[in-house]
Amino acid sequence: MHSNGKVMNKERLENVAGAVIFLIFLISAADSEAQSTMSDNKAEPNAESLRPYATKVRSINPTDEDFSDLAPLVSKIGNSRVVVLGEGTHSEGTTSQAKARMVRFLHQKMGFDVLAWESGLFQTYAMNAALRKTDIPLFQAKRFLMSGGWANEEAIDPVFQYARTSWQTGRPLEMTGFDSGKPRASSQFFREYFTDLALRNPSLKLTSDEWDLIDKLQKRGYGFISSEVTPEADRQKQIKVLDELSQKLRTNQKELLKTFSQKELLFAERFIYDSLMSEEIAYIRTSKGGTEWNLARDKFMADSFRWLMNNLYPNRKIIIWAATAHLIRNGNQIENLKNKDWYQTAHHMGHHLYPLLRDDLYTIAFTAYGGRLGDVFPEGSGNNSQIEEMSPAPPKSFEETAHQLKQPFLFVDLRNAPPDHWLRGKFVSVALGRLENSAVWSNVVDAFFFIDQAEPIRYLPKQN
């Protein structure tokens, strides 16, 4: 009887366990079906369902400090430590205006006090120093950033004016950069920096032959694109000089700290690394081609930005000014409608940063429905203006849907949209270089800053 009781209890337990398993299966199946239905039943893009989640932006005037229209962005961006202001192309002046105003808003209202450019560390370091010195004309200070480009844009000039003024307050807007070096300014500043260090501590002095080797290495790393491949033996001689200089900084640090600050030595080591990596990236482009070069460059930019966050600006809130394409994440989820494999093997800067930052990284993609692209130069500059009409964004794309709301500027937060809304589903956008791409965009960026009609970049008259 006792034994039979055990059997009966075992049978009951088995029956109960079976019922529980079956119930879990039903619940799981129902949940899976609900999720599938939720995903499948996401409505395709339509203007009326977009309206409640589109914040109207009143102005993109870079000097407009009535931020009441941007106030809703505070809760959307939240506690993110890094905000990306990403442009779809480098030829949209309207985007530059909108980004310039966003810089001022983020600095004044959200505590972001570092602006990191898609430019070299050397140049931006020199520019940051020059902006602090009011006896240096602004146009000269800006030239450290790069020759032409953002430094000469009419719409971005207020950013530099604002940054200079901010140094007279208790909360300056500092400038930095994370890209590999660019021509002229990088090698010039490197020489000036290390010449100054050597004057203060002769152990760091370089011979004229050593400088000649460094100059040759930097000419490749910081020069314009060239098809010439340097013999490997020559490369290694040049690399060796910088390796030995770096070794001096590391092994003699205790002694060097009697003369230099920790920050000065930190910069010195990083400048050497930057020179070596810029040359390596240039070498990859020459020897392996554009695809490998892009991968190496984006990986380097992510590494540089991590170094900035951890070493120079710990606990500081940082704005990134760059092309959107560098800061996307989950690029392999993007499907280009003309070339399905376009993004499948690309690992962008954002791909490397996202696992480190997660919700601390908030990426805003600036995008337009239509308008004009190009560069407008002042008369007598010697440059020819080039303007082209944009093809309007395709039907059912995000941009065409936003266009129907008949607003010049909108901010659309993807991160915090309801899970069952089409903004969290798959749709087409032209936010990356005007290419027609389909993706679950909330997995790629966090928000769209929509511009209905873009206008080309306008450049300032040349100053000497």
Side-chain angles (χ1 to χ4, degrees), residues 356-392:
L356 173 69
L357 289 168
R358 295 289 175 179
D359 286 349
D360 272 346
L361 178 67
Y362 192 93
T363 301
I364 304 170
F366 287 69
T367 186
Y369 167 71
R372 303 186 303 164
L373 292 171
D375 303 301
V376 179
F377 296 97
E379 288 186 17
S381 66
N383 296 306
N384 295 321
S385 298
Q386 296 181 334
I387 303 172
E388 62 177 277
E389 295 290 329
M390 284 185 187
S391 298

Side-chain angles (χ1 to χ4, degrees), residues 38-102:
M38 181 182 290
S39 175
D40 294 342
N41 289 346
K42 281 192 177 79
E44 63 182 14
N46 68 89
E48 287 312 306
S49 62
L50 174 62
R51 193 183 300 278
Y53 303 101
T55 301
K56 296 177 185 177
V57 177
R58 175 184 51 78
S59 168
I60 60 167
N61 183 335
T63 62
D64 187 340
E65 295 188 352
D66 174 4
F67 296 126
S68 55
D69 57 328
L70 299 180
L73 277 58
V74 173
S75 61
K76 300 180 191 306
I77 294 171
N79 295 320
S80 299
R81 182 187 171 193
V82 179
V83 167
V84 176
L85 304 179
E87 53 203 56
T89 74
H90 290 316
S91 300
E92 296 175 44
T94 316
T95 292
S96 295
Q97 291 179 58
K99 289 172 66 169
R101 184 171 183 239
M102 283 291 295

Side-chain angles (χ1 to χ4, degrees), residues 219-231:
K219 186 177 180 181
R220 290 194 309 280
Y222 300 144
F224 293 100
I225 298 168
S226 170
S227 58
E228 183 180 341
V229 178
T230 301

Side-chain angles (χ1 to χ4, degrees), residues 88 137 253 347:
Q253 189 162 113
H347 288 164

